[in-house]
Coordinates of all heavy atoms in Angstrom, one line a residue:
M1 N 0.9 -1.2 0.0 CA 0.0 0.0 0.0 C 0.9 1.2 0.0 O 1.8 1.3 0.8 CB -0.9 0.0 1.3 CG -1.8 1.2 1.4 SD -2.9 1.1 2.8 CE -3.9 -0.3 2.4
N2 N 0.6 2.2 -0.9 CA 1.4 3.4 -0.9 C 0.6 4.5 -0.1 O -0.5 4.3 0.4 CB 1.7 3.9 -2.3 CG 0.5 4.2 -3.1 OD1 -0.5 4.7 -2.6 ND2 0.5 4.0 -4.4
C3 N 1.3 5.7 0.0 CA 0.8 6.7 0.9 C -0.6 7.2 0.4 O -1.5 7.4 1.2 CB 1.7 7.9 0.9 SG 3.3 7.5 1.7
E4 N -0.7 7.3 -0.9 CA -2.0 7.8 -1.5 C -3.2 6.9 -1.1 O -4.2 7.3 -0.7 CB -1.9 8.0 -3.0 CG -2.9 8.8 -3.6 CD -2.8 8.8 -5.1 OE1 -1.7 8.7 -5.7 OE2 -3.9 8.9 -5.8
E5 N -2.9 5.6 -1.3 CA -4.0 4.6 -1.0 C -4.3 4.6 0.5 O -5.4 4.6 0.9 CB -3.5 3.2 -1.4 CG -3.5 2.9 -2.8 CD -2.7 1.7 -3.2 OE1 -1.9 1.2 -2.4 OE2 -3.0 1.2 -4.3
L6 N -3.3 4.8 1.3 CA -3.5 4.8 2.7 C -4.3 6.0 3.1 O -5.3 5.8 3.9 CB -2.1 4.9 3.5 CG -2.3 4.9 5.0 CD1 -1.5 3.8 5.7 CD2 -2.0 6.3 5.6
L7 N -4.0 7.2 2.6 CA -4.7 8.4 3.0 C -6.2 8.3 2.6 O -7.1 8.8 3.2 CB -4.1 9.6 2.4 CG -2.7 9.9 3.0 CD1 -2.0 11.1 2.3 CD2 -2.7 10.1 4.5
R8 N -6.4 7.6 1.4 CA -7.8 7.5 0.9 C -8.6 6.6 1.9 O -9.8 6.8 2.0 CB -7.8 6.8 -0.5 CG -8.4 7.7 -1.5 CD -8.7 7.0 -2.8 NE -7.8 5.9 -3.2 CZ -6.9 6.0 -4.1 NH1 -6.8 7.1 -4.9 NH2 -6.1 5.0 -4.4
Q9 N -8.0 5.7 2.5 CA -8.7 4.7 3.3 C -8.6 5.0 4.8 O -9.3 4.3 5.6 CB -8.1 3.3 3.1 CG -8.1 3.0 1.6 CD -8.2 1.5 1.4 OE1 -9.2 0.9 1.7 NE2 -7.1 0.9 0.9
L10 N -7.9 6.1 5.2 CA -7.6 6.3 6.6 C -8.9 6.6 7.4 O -9.1 6.1 8.5 CB -6.7 7.5 6.7 CG -5.9 7.6 8.0 CD1 -5.3 6.3 8.4 CD2 -4.9 8.8 8.0
A11 N -9.8 7.4 6.8 CA -11.0 7.7 7.6 C -11.9 6.5 7.8 O -12.4 6.3 8.9 CB -11.8 8.8 6.8
A12 N -12.0 5.7 6.7 CA -12.8 4.4 6.9 C -12.1 3.5 7.9 O -12.8 2.8 8.7 CB -12.9 3.7 5.5
Y13 N -10.8 3.5 7.9 CA -10.0 2.7 8.9 C -10.4 3.1 10.3 O -10.6 2.3 11.2 CB -8.5 2.9 8.6 CG -7.6 2.4 9.7 CD1 -7.5 1.1 10.0 CD2 -6.8 3.3 10.4 CE1 -6.7 0.6 11.0 CE2 -6.0 2.9 11.4 CZ -5.9 1.5 11.7 OH -5.1 1.1 12.7
R14 N -10.4 4.5 10.5 CA -10.7 5.0 11.8 C -12.1 4.7 12.2 O -12.4 4.6 13.4 CB -10.4 6.5 11.9 CG -9.0 6.8 12.1 CD -8.5 6.5 13.5 NE -7.1 6.2 13.6 CZ -6.6 5.2 14.3 NH1 -7.4 4.5 15.1 NH2 -5.3 5.0 14.3
E15 N -13.0 4.6 11.3 CA -14.4 4.3 11.5 C -14.5 2.8 11.8 O -15.6 2.3 12.1 CB -15.3 4.6 10.3 CG -15.4 6.1 10.1 CD -16.2 6.8 11.2 OE1 -17.4 6.4 11.4 OE2 -15.7 7.7 11.9
G16 N -13.5 2.0 11.6 CA -13.6 0.6 11.8 C -14.4 -0.1 10.7 O -14.9 -1.2 10.9
A17 N -14.3 0.5 9.5 CA -15.2 0.1 8.4 C -14.4 -0.8 7.4 O -14.9 -1.2 6.4 CB -15.7 1.3 7.7
L18 N -13.1 -1.1 7.7 CA -12.3 -1.9 6.8 C -12.1 -3.3 7.3 O -12.0 -3.5 8.5 CB -11.0 -1.2 6.6 CG -11.1 0.2 5.9 CD1 -9.7 0.8 5.8 CD2 -11.6 0.1 4.5
P19 N -11.9 -4.2 6.3 CA -11.6 -5.6 6.7 C -10.2 -5.7 7.4 O -9.4 -4.8 7.2 CB -11.6 -6.4 5.4 CG -11.6 -5.4 4.3 CD -12.0 -4.1 4.9
E20 N -10.1 -6.7 8.2 CA -8.9 -6.9 9.1 C -7.6 -6.9 8.3 O -6.6 -6.3 8.7 CB -9.0 -8.3 9.8 CG -8.3 -8.3 11.1 CD -8.6 -9.6 11.8 OE1 -9.8 -9.9 12.1 OE2 -7.6 -10.4 12.1
G21 N -7.6 -7.5 7.1 CA -6.4 -7.5 6.3 C -5.9 -6.1 5.9 O -4.7 -5.8 6.0
I22 N -6.8 -5.3 5.5 CA -6.5 -3.9 5.2 C -6.0 -3.1 6.4 O -5.1 -2.4 6.3 CB -7.7 -3.2 4.5 CG1 -8.3 -4.0 3.4 CG2 -7.4 -1.8 4.0 CD1 -7.7 -3.9 2.1
C23 N -6.7 -3.3 7.5 CA -6.3 -2.6 8.7 C -4.8 -3.0 9.1 O -4.1 -2.1 9.4 CB -7.2 -3.1 9.9 SG -8.9 -2.4 9.8
A24 N -4.5 -4.2 8.9 CA -3.1 -4.7 9.2 C -2.1 -3.9 8.3 O -1.1 -3.5 8.7 CB -3.0 -6.2 9.1
E25 N -2.5 -3.8 7.0 CA -1.6 -3.1 6.1 C -1.5 -1.6 6.5 O -0.4 -1.1 6.4 CB -2.2 -3.2 4.7 CG -1.9 -4.4 3.9 CD -2.2 -4.3 2.4 OE1 -1.7 -3.3 1.8 OE2 -3.0 -5.1 1.9
I26 N -2.6 -1.0 6.8 CA -2.5 0.4 7.2 C -1.7 0.5 8.5 O -0.8 1.4 8.6 CB -4.0 0.9 7.5 CG1 -4.7 1.0 6.1 CG2 -4.0 2.2 8.2 CD1 -6.1 1.4 6.2
E27 N -1.9 -0.3 9.5 CA -1.1 -0.2 10.7 C 0.4 -0.4 10.4 O 1.3 0.3 11.0 CB -1.5 -1.3 11.7 CG -2.8 -0.8 12.4 CD -3.6 -1.9 13.0 OE1 -3.1 -3.0 13.2 OE2 -4.8 -1.7 13.2
R28 N 0.7 -1.3 9.5 CA 2.1 -1.5 9.2 C 2.7 -0.3 8.5 O 3.8 0.2 8.8 CB 2.3 -2.8 8.3 CG 3.7 -3.3 8.1 CD 3.7 -4.6 7.5 NE 2.9 -4.7 6.3 CZ 2.1 -5.7 6.1 NH1 1.9 -6.7 6.9 NH2 1.3 -5.7 5.0
H29 N 1.9 0.3 7.5 CA 2.4 1.5 6.8 C 2.6 2.6 7.8 O 3.6 3.3 7.8 CB 1.3 1.8 5.8 CG 1.8 3.0 4.9 ND1 2.0 2.9 3.6 CD2 2.0 4.3 5.2 CE1 2.4 4.1 3.1 NE2 2.4 5.0 4.1
I30 N 1.6 2.9 8.7 CA 1.8 4.0 9.6 C 3.0 3.8 10.5 O 3.6 4.7 10.9 CB 0.4 4.1 10.5 CG1 -0.6 4.7 9.6 CG2 0.6 4.9 11.7 CD1 -2.0 4.7 10.2
G31 N 3.3 2.5 10.9 CA 4.4 2.2 11.7 C 5.7 2.6 11.0 O 6.7 2.9 11.7
D32 N 5.8 2.6 9.7 CA 7.0 2.8 8.9 C 7.1 4.2 8.3 O 8.1 4.6 7.8 CB 7.1 1.8 7.7 CG 7.4 0.4 8.2 OD1 7.8 0.3 9.4 OD2 7.2 -0.5 7.4
C33 N 6.0 4.9 8.2 CA 5.9 6.1 7.4 C 5.5 7.3 8.3 O 4.3 7.4 8.7 CB 4.9 5.9 6.3 SG 4.7 7.3 5.2
S34 N 6.4 8.1 8.7 CA 6.0 9.2 9.7 C 5.1 10.2 9.2 O 4.2 10.7 9.9 CB 7.3 9.8 10.3 OG 8.1 10.4 9.4
P35 N 5.1 10.6 7.9 CA 4.1 11.6 7.4 C 2.7 11.0 7.6 O 1.8 11.7 8.0 CB 4.5 11.8 5.9 CG 5.9 11.5 5.9 CD 6.2 10.4 6.9
C36 N 2.5 9.8 7.2 CA 1.2 9.2 7.3 C 0.8 9.0 8.8 O -0.4 9.2 9.1 CB 1.1 7.8 6.6 SG 1.1 8.0 4.8
A37 N 1.8 8.7 9.6 CA 1.5 8.6 11.1 C 1.0 9.9 11.6 O 0.1 10.0 12.4 CB 2.7 8.1 11.8
E38 N 1.6 11.0 11.1 CA 1.1 12.3 11.5 C -0.3 12.6 11.1 O -1.1 13.2 11.9 CB 2.1 13.4 11.0 CG 3.3 13.7 11.9 CD 4.2 14.8 11.3 OE1 3.6 15.8 10.8 OE2 5.4 14.6 11.3
V39 N -0.6 12.3 9.9 CA -1.9 12.5 9.4 C -2.9 11.7 10.2 O -4.0 12.2 10.6 CB -2.1 12.1 7.9 CG1 -3.5 12.2 7.4 CG2 -1.2 13.1 7.0
D40 N -2.6 10.5 10.5 CA -3.4 9.6 11.3 C -3.6 10.2 12.7 O -4.8 10.3 13.2 CB -2.8 8.2 11.4 CG -3.6 7.3 12.3 OD1 -4.8 7.2 12.0 OD2 -3.1 6.7 13.3
Q41 N -2.6 10.8 13.3 CA -2.7 11.4 14.6 C -3.6 12.6 14.5 O -4.5 12.8 15.4 CB -1.3 11.8 15.1 CG -1.3 12.4 16.5 CD -1.7 11.4 17.5 OE1 -1.2 10.3 17.6 NE2 -2.7 11.8 18.3
D42 N -3.5 13.4 13.5 CA -4.3 14.6 13.3 C -5.8 14.2 13.2 O -6.7 14.8 13.8 CB -3.9 15.4 12.0 CG -2.6 16.1 12.2 OD1 -2.1 16.2 13.3 OD2 -2.1 16.6 11.2
L43 N -6.0 13.2 12.4 CA -7.4 12.7 12.2 C -8.0 12.2 13.6 O -9.1 12.5 13.9 CB -7.3 11.5 11.2 CG -8.6 11.2 10.5 CD1 -9.1 12.4 9.6 CD2 -8.4 10.0 9.6
R44 N -7.2 11.5 14.3 CA -7.7 11.1 15.6 C -8.0 12.3 16.6 O -9.0 12.3 17.3 CB -6.6 10.1 16.3 CG -6.8 8.7 15.9 CD -6.0 7.8 16.6 NE -4.6 7.9 16.1 CZ -3.6 7.2 16.7 NH1 -3.8 6.4 17.7 NH2 -2.4 7.3 16.2
D45 N -7.1 13.3 16.5 CA -7.3 14.5 17.4 C -8.6 15.2 16.9 O -9.4 15.5 17.8 CB -6.1 15.5 17.2 CG -4.9 14.9 17.9 OD1 -5.0 14.0 18.7 OD2 -3.8 15.5 17.6
L46 N -8.8 15.3 15.6 CA -10.0 16.0 15.1 C -11.2 15.2 15.5 O -12.2 15.8 16.0 CB -9.9 16.0 13.6 CG -9.4 17.3 13.0 CD1 -9.3 17.1 11.5 CD2 -10.2 18.5 13.3
A47 N -11.1 13.9 15.4 CA -12.3 13.0 15.7 C -12.6 13.2 17.2 O -13.8 13.3 17.6 CB -12.0 11.6 15.4
R48 N -11.6 13.2 18.0 CA -11.8 13.4 19.4 C -12.5 14.7 19.8 O -13.4 14.9 20.5 CB -10.5 13.2 20.2 CG -10.7 13.2 21.7 CD -9.4 12.8 22.4 NE -8.2 13.4 21.8 CZ -7.8 14.6 22.0 NH1 -8.5 15.4 22.8 NH2 -6.7 15.1 21.4
L49 N -11.9 15.8 19.1 CA -12.5 17.1 19.3 C -13.9 17.2 18.9 O -14.7 17.8 19.6 CB -11.6 18.2 18.6 CG -10.3 18.4 19.1 CD1 -9.5 19.3 18.1 CD2 -10.3 19.1 20.5
C50 N -14.2 16.6 17.8 CA -15.6 16.6 17.3 C -16.5 15.8 18.3 O -17.6 16.3 18.7 CB -15.7 15.9 16.0 SG -15.2 16.9 14.6
R51 N -16.0 14.7 18.8 CA -16.8 13.9 19.7 C -17.1 14.7 21.0 O -18.1 14.6 21.6 CB -16.1 12.6 20.1 CG -16.6 11.4 19.3 CD -16.2 10.1 20.0 NE -14.8 10.0 20.4 CZ -13.8 9.7 19.5 NH1 -14.1 9.4 18.3 NH2 -12.6 9.6 20.0
E52 N -16.0 15.4 21.5 CA -16.1 16.1 22.7 C -16.7 17.5 22.6 O -16.8 18.2 23.5 CB -14.7 16.1 23.4 CG -14.2 14.7 23.8 CD -12.8 14.8 24.3 OE1 -12.2 15.9 24.3 OE2 -12.3 13.7 24.6
S53 N -17.0 17.8 21.3 CA -17.6 19.1 21.0 C -16.7 20.3 21.6 O -17.2 21.2 22.2 CB -19.0 19.3 21.6 OG -19.8 18.3 21.0
K54 N -15.4 20.1 21.4 CA -14.5 21.1 21.9 C -14.1 22.1 20.8 O -12.9 22.5 20.7 CB -13.2 20.5 22.6 CG -13.5 20.0 23.9 CD -12.3 19.5 24.6 CE -12.6 18.9 26.0 NZ -11.5 18.2 26.6
L55 N -15.0 22.3 19.9 CA -14.7 23.2 18.8 C -15.7 24.4 18.9 O -16.6 24.5 18.1 CB -14.8 22.5 17.4 CG -13.8 21.4 17.2 CD1 -14.2 20.6 16.0 CD2 -12.4 21.9 17.1
P56 N -15.5 25.2 19.9 CA -16.5 26.2 20.2 C -16.6 27.2 19.0 O -15.6 27.7 18.5 CB -16.1 26.9 21.5 CG -14.6 26.6 21.5 CD -14.4 25.3 20.8
G57 N -17.8 27.6 18.7 CA -18.0 28.6 17.7 C -17.6 28.2 16.3 O -17.5 29.1 15.4
L58 N -17.4 27.0 16.1 CA -17.0 26.5 14.7 C -18.2 26.6 13.8 O -19.3 26.1 14.2 CB -16.5 25.1 14.8 CG -15.7 24.6 13.6 CD1 -14.3 25.3 13.6 CD2 -15.5 23.1 13.7
P59 N -18.1 27.3 12.7 CA -19.2 27.4 11.8 C -19.7 26.0 11.4 O -18.9 25.1 11.2 CB -18.7 28.1 10.5 CG -17.4 28.8 11.0 CD -16.9 27.9 12.1
V60 N -21.0 25.9 11.3 CA -21.6 24.6 10.9 C -21.0 24.0 9.7 O -20.7 22.8 9.6 CB -23.2 24.7 10.8 CG1 -23.8 23.5 10.1 CG2 -23.8 25.0 12.1
E61 N -20.8 24.9 8.7 CA -20.2 24.4 7.4 C -18.8 23.8 7.6 O -18.5 22.8 7.0 CB -20.1 25.6 6.4 CG -19.7 25.3 5.0 CD -20.5 24.2 4.4 OE1 -21.7 24.1 4.6 OE2 -19.9 23.4 3.6
T62 N -18.0 24.4 8.5 CA -16.7 23.9 8.7 C -16.8 22.6 9.4 O -16.1 21.6 9.1 CB -15.9 24.9 9.6 OG1 -15.9 26.1 8.9 CG2 -14.5 24.4 9.8
R63 N -17.7 22.5 10.4 CA -17.9 21.2 11.1 C -18.3 20.1 10.2 O -17.8 19.0 10.2 CB -18.9 21.4 12.2 CG -18.8 20.4 13.3 CD -19.8 20.7 14.4 NE -19.7 22.1 14.9 CZ -20.4 22.5 16.0 NH1 -21.1 21.6 16.7 NH2 -20.4 23.7 16.3
R64 N -19.2 20.5 9.2 CA -19.7 19.5 8.3 C -18.5 19.0 7.4 O -18.4 17.8 7.1 CB -20.7 20.2 7.4 CG -21.7 19.3 6.7 CD -22.8 20.1 6.1 NE -23.7 20.6 7.0 CZ -24.6 21.6 6.8 NH1 -24.6 22.2 5.6 NH2 -25.4 22.1 7.7
R65 N -17.6 19.9 7.0 CA -16.5 19.5 6.2 C -15.6 18.6 7.0 O -15.0 17.6 6.4 CB -15.7 20.8 5.8 CG -16.3 21.4 4.6 CD -15.5 22.6 4.1 NE -16.3 23.5 3.3 CZ -15.9 24.6 2.8 NH1 -14.6 24.9 2.9 NH2 -16.7 25.3 2.1
I66 N -15.3 18.9 8.2 CA -14.5 18.0 9.1 C -15.1 16.6 9.2 O -14.5 15.6 9.0 CB -14.3 18.6 10.5 CG1 -13.4 19.9 10.3 CG2 -13.6 17.6 11.4 CD1 -13.3 20.7 11.6
E67 N -16.4 16.6 9.4 CA -17.1 15.4 9.5 C -17.1 14.6 8.2 O -16.9 13.4 8.2 CB -18.6 15.6 10.0 CG -18.6 15.9 11.4 CD -20.0 16.5 11.9 OE1 -20.9 16.6 11.0 OE2 -20.1 16.8 13.0
A68 N -17.2 15.3 7.1 CA -17.1 14.6 5.8 C -15.7 14.1 5.6 O -15.5 12.9 5.1 CB -17.4 15.6 4.7
L69 N -14.7 14.8 6.0 CA -13.3 14.4 6.0 C -13.1 13.1 6.8 O -12.4 12.2 6.4 CB -12.4 15.5 6.5 CG -10.9 15.2 6.5 CD1 -10.3 15.3 5.1 CD2 -10.1 16.2 7.4
L70 N -13.8 13.1 7.9 CA -13.7 11.9 8.8 C -14.6 10.8 8.3 O -14.6 9.7 8.9 CB -14.1 12.3 10.2 CG -13.1 13.3 10.9 CD1 -13.7 13.8 12.2 CD2 -11.7 12.8 11.0
G71 N -15.3 11.0 7.2 CA -16.1 9.9 6.7 C -17.4 9.7 7.6 O -18.0 8.6 7.5
R72 N -17.8 10.7 8.3 CA -19.0 10.5 9.1 C -20.2 11.2 8.4 O -20.0 12.1 7.7 CB -18.8 11.3 10.5 CG -17.7 10.7 11.3 CD -17.1 11.7 12.2 NE -18.1 12.1 13.2 CZ -18.2 11.7 14.4 NH1 -17.3 10.9 14.9 NH2 -19.1 12.1 15.3
R73 N -21.3 10.6 8.7 CA -22.5 11.2 8.2 C -22.8 12.4 9.1 O -22.6 12.4 10.3 CB -23.7 10.3 8.3 CG -24.1 9.7 7.0 CD -25.4 9.0 7.0 NE -25.5 8.1 8.2 CZ -25.2 6.8 8.1 NH1 -24.7 6.3 7.0 NH2 -25.3 6.1 9.2
H74 N -23.3 13.5 8.4 CA -23.6 14.7 9.2 C -24.8 14.5 10.1 O -25.9 14.1 9.6 CB -23.8 15.9 8.3 CG -24.1 17.1 9.1 ND1 -23.2 17.7 10.0 CD2 -25.2 17.9 9.2 CE1 -23.8 18.8 10.6 NE2 -25.0 18.9 10.1
E75 N -24.7 14.7 11.3 CA -25.8 14.7 12.2 C -26.1 16.1 12.6 O -25.3 16.8 13.1 CB -25.5 13.8 13.5 CG -25.3 12.4 13.1 CD -24.7 11.6 14.3 OE1 -24.9 12.1 15.4 OE2 -24.0 10.6 14.0
P76 N -27.4 16.5 12.5 CA -27.7 17.9 12.8 C -27.4 18.1 14.3 O -27.7 17.3 15.1 CB -29.2 17.9 12.6 CG -29.6 16.7 11.8 CD -28.5 15.7 12.1
P77 N -26.7 19.2 14.6 CA -26.4 19.5 16.0 C -27.6 19.7 16.8 O -28.6 20.3 16.3 CB -25.6 20.8 15.9 CG -25.8 21.4 14.5 CD -26.3 20.2 13.7
S78 N -27.6 19.2 18.0 CA -28.8 19.3 18.8 C -29.0 20.6 19.5 O -30.1 21.0 19.8 CB -28.8 18.2 19.9 OG -27.6 18.2 20.6
S79 N -27.9 21.3 19.7 CA -28.1 22.6 20.5 C -27.9 23.9 19.7 O -28.3 24.9 20.2 CB -27.1 22.5 21.7 OG -25.8 22.4 21.2
D80 N -27.2 23.8 18.6 CA -27.1 25.1 17.9 C -27.6 25.1 16.5 O -28.7 24.9 16.2 CB -25.6 25.5 17.8 CG -24.7 24.5 17.2 OD1 -25.2 23.7 16.3 OD2 -23.5 24.5 17.5
Ligands
LIG101 ZN1 2.9 6.9 3.9

């Protein structure tokens, strides 16, 4: 798996949506490739921030883009 393939599948990987064999390839790649490991770390940080709603005042459109990037379906915010 090259970097481009990895980045394309990273969001799905984080969602747990990929078969075990692909996950193993991704984990191996991230272990060897520091740029991809950084992207993976950023994605995890973003996902955590979204989950914890620690993005105060973030425009809905921006949040939607982040969620799209993370491969999540947009759920209408309950409070804003
Ligand atoms: Zn890579």
Side-chain angles (χ1 to χ4, degrees):
M1 180 176 296
N2 63 32
C3 294
E4 197 187 328
E5 284 167 345
L6 180 127
L7 294 175
R8 238 194 330 252
Q9 306 210 64
L10 198 53
Y13 166 67
R14 279 288 151 221
E15 290 292 303
L18 293 177
E20 206 173 304
I22 308 278
C23 290
E25 275 193 58
I26 288 176
E27 280 157 21
R28 195 165 48 225
H29 184 115
I30 285 173
D32 289 345
C33 180
S34 59
C36 287
E38 273 180 44
V39 173
D40 180 53
Q41 184 63 54
D42 287 349
L43 202 61
R44 274 186 285 177
D45 289 346
L46 267 177
R48 186 170 43 78
L49 288 171
C50 282
R51 263 201 310 278
E52 294 173 2
S53 300
K54 283 186 180 169
L55 298 171
L58 198 70
V60 170
E61 183 58 30
T62 304
R63 203 176 309 189
R64 204 172 287 163
R65 280 184 201 182
I66 291 172
E67 285 168 359
L69 180 75
L70 295 173
R72 296 153 65 101
R73 258 196 309 273
H74 179 67
E75 293 166 26
S78 50
S79 57
D80 58 26

